[in-house]
Amino acid sequence: MSKDYYKILGVEKNASQDEIKKAFRKLAHEHHPDKQGGNDAKFKEANEAYSVLGDEKKRQQYDTFGSAGPNMGGGGFNANDFGGFDFSGFSQGGFGGSGVEFDLGDMFGDIFGGGRQRQKRGADISIDVDLSFKESIFGIEKTVVLNKTSVCADCHGNGAKKGSKMRTCSSCAGKGKVTELKRSIIGSFQTVRTCETCHGSGSIPEEKCGSCHGSGVLKKNQEIKVKIPAGIEDGEMVRLTGAGEAISGGVSGDLYIKIHVSEHSVWTKEGVNLVTQLDVKLSDALLGTTYELETLDGKVDLKIPEGVSFGEILRIKGKGVPSGRGRGDAMVKINITMPRRLSKDTKKAIEALKNEGI
Ligand SMILES: [Zn+2]
Ligand SMILES: [Zn+2]
């Protein structure tokens, strides 16, 4: 499953922003890759965790949609292209400056700043999920199983055997980048690319993780829990940042879930309201009565007022679609059914009504 950011920072789920900040600083100093015994993977992991938990809004999203890891960079996706929910908003190095007091420039410069190079990114995955009408109204948590390349759970993607020491990558001498001299007719020029041996981290484990053979990723069936919000529309897209294909030495792609909502036999949705039509007998419309009606919340007794007219809308408060401001209403449009044929006696009775002026 996805990373537990609270665990990474070693804080409780209800930790205050202060505690989170403190925990992150401690880890950042401890693991900073420029330091003797620093650990780049751990440092990045702490960074990633803090970029989410250190931001109330992102933290809330993470708490709610827990399975989504943030996209740490370079995705190049514009969430506005999708009608759905964007859980990302994490730009490269996007710590927003909020609440981080020490010098970010120095600290992150080496890791994020230096390169205009695009970080490797796993492929996006898109899947379809079918919902019943009721599920779409109230929201639901769906579990999907995907066979995909995932971050190795044993080494958390750093490719190291548990407890293994990290040593400086010999291919790049710990720089994470390799400079090459290329010759062409107009002269020779230098190109810089990410080191393939260490994937740019500058260090490699002395012993490789046995599960993923050091790649940090492996193909497996992964269960992903997707929280579908209440009131989702047919055709809407839910995006889980980081739940796509993982890639060795890069960030995971995103998972796009296209929602299909089946129609209900009785109710349709209009904004925050649920709408239906109810056939009422002529005599019931004239005299008034109670009809039993099946709402999405179960059966209700709907009072048909005396003399209700054709097309009148009866409102059942608070039985509509949940929204940020409570629930909408269920609206029942009255249709009065006329008798096709009248018996002799009925005709007589109605003629009597007619004489009364009805
Ligand atoms: Zn592994
Ligand atoms: Zn290297």
Side-chain angles (χ1 to χ4, degrees):
M1 259 332 276
S2 64
K3 293 177 187 169
D4 185 343
Y5 291 145
Y6 290 99
K7 217 168 164 182
I8 289 169
L9 293 183
V11 294
E12 296 291 325
K13 281 243 176 206
N14 56 5
S16 68
Q17 278 301 320
D18 250 340
E19 289 170 315
I20 288 171
K21 198 195 294 175
K22 257 186 212 154
F24 165 64
R25 276 207 222 158
K26 192 170 157 271
L27 286 174
H29 283 293
E30 196 180 324
H31 297 308
H32 192 277
D34 285 352
K35 259 183 62 178
Q36 188 80 37
N39 182 327
D40 187 57
K42 282 223 164 104
F43 179 71
K44 278 184 181 164
E45 199 175 57
N47 249 336
E48 186 184 321
Y50 182 66
S51 75
V52 175
L53 300 186
D55 178 316
E56 275 303 344
K57 210 175 137 201
K58 290 170 189 168
R59 183 182 180 184
Q60 214 178 349
Q61 283 180 341
Y62 172 76
D63 285 344
T64 316
F65 302 99
S67 52
N71 178 2
M72 287 299 286
F77 266 87
N78 183 357
N80 296 332
D81 294 342
F82 300 89
F85 297 82
D86 177 31
F87 304 143
S88 63
F90 300 92
S91 56
Q92 193 155 21
F95 299 91
S98 58
V100 184
E101 284 144 21
F102 55 90
D103 190 349
L104 284 173
D106 281 350
M107 198 145 189
F108 300 118
D110 296 337
I111 294 127
F112 295 115
R116 278 175 213 276
Q117 283 170 319
R118 206 155 240 255
Q119 202 171 359
K120 272 207 288 178
R121 190 173 180 281
D124 293 324
I125 300 174
S126 77
I127 57 167
D128 295 79
V129 165
D130 293 319
L131 298 183
S132 73
F133 184 75
K134 192 172 171 178
E135 289 171 337
S136 80
I137 297 302
F138 294 120
I140 190 168
E141 189 176 86
K142 286 268 176 189
T143 303
V144 294
V145 179
L146 295 177
N147 186 264
K148 68 180 189 82
T149 305
S150 299
V151 173
C152 173
D154 291 337
C155 62
H156 303 290
N158 71 5
K161 189 177 171 183
K162 210 173 175 179
S164 163
K165 287 198 183 101
M166 302 296 280
R167 63 175 165 81
T168 306
C169 172
S170 53
S171 308
C172 62
K175 290 197 189 79
K177 286 174 256 178
V178 185
T179 309
E180 283 175 331
L181 199 64
K182 286 207 170 143
R183 290 174 206 286
S184 74
I185 21 172
I186 50 164
S188 54
F189 56 94
Q190 282 191 338
T191 58
V192 180
R193 60 172 174 80
T194 304
C195 172
E196 272 164 21
T197 314
C198 62
H199 303 295
S201 71
S203 56
I204 51 173
E206 276 181 354
E207 275 182 283
K208 286 178 180 174
C209 167
S211 311
C212 63
H213 308 291
S215 69
V217 297
L218 74 172
K219 191 130 179 146
K220 61 172 180 181
N221 280 333
Q222 193 178 353
E223 257 189 22
I224 295 172
K225 287 202 168 79
V226 188
K227 212 160 189 179
I228 315 272
I232 197 156
E233 301 273 352
D234 182 56
E236 255 186 290
M237 194 84 88
V238 175
R239 171 181 174 179
L240 255 63
T241 305
E245 298 277 0
I247 192 166
S248 188
V251 292
S252 296
D254 298 336
L255 174 63
Y256 292 93
I257 300 141
K258 190 167 186 189
I259 301 296
H260 301 274
V261 180
S262 42
E263 282 182 10
H264 195 271
S265 56
V266 174
W267 294 96
T268 55
K269 185 180 159 204
E270 279 181 20
V272 292
N273 298 319
L274 291 168
V275 181
T276 193
Q277 194 162 314
L278 182 67
D279 288 341
V280 174
K281 279 197 291 185
L282 178 61
S283 54
D284 287 336
L286 288 169
L287 298 171
T289 184
T290 303
Y291 271 51
E292 193 178 70
L293 183 72
E294 189 78 45
T295 69
L296 294 188
D297 294 82
K299 284 191 171 70
V300 294
D301 287 326
L302 181 67
K303 194 171 180 293
I304 311 291
E306 191 181 306
V308 72
S309 45
F310 182 87
E312 204 172 318
I313 288 166
L314 305 180
R315 214 174 252 271
I316 310 171
K317 282 245 171 252
K319 298 289 182 208
V321 184
S323 76
R325 288 165 291 165
R327 285 181 67 180
D329 301 329
M331 315 233 279
V332 184
K333 195 173 175 187
I334 299 299
N335 178 43
I336 299 170
T337 50
M338 291 294 165
R340 281 272 167 111
R341 290 170 65 187
L342 299 175
S343 68
K344 253 190 187 163
D345 287 350
T346 314
K347 253 187 189 162
K348 238 185 212 165
I350 290 177
E351 264 157 22
L353 287 176
K354 193 178 171 185
N355 291 337
E356 272 188 49
I358 290 173

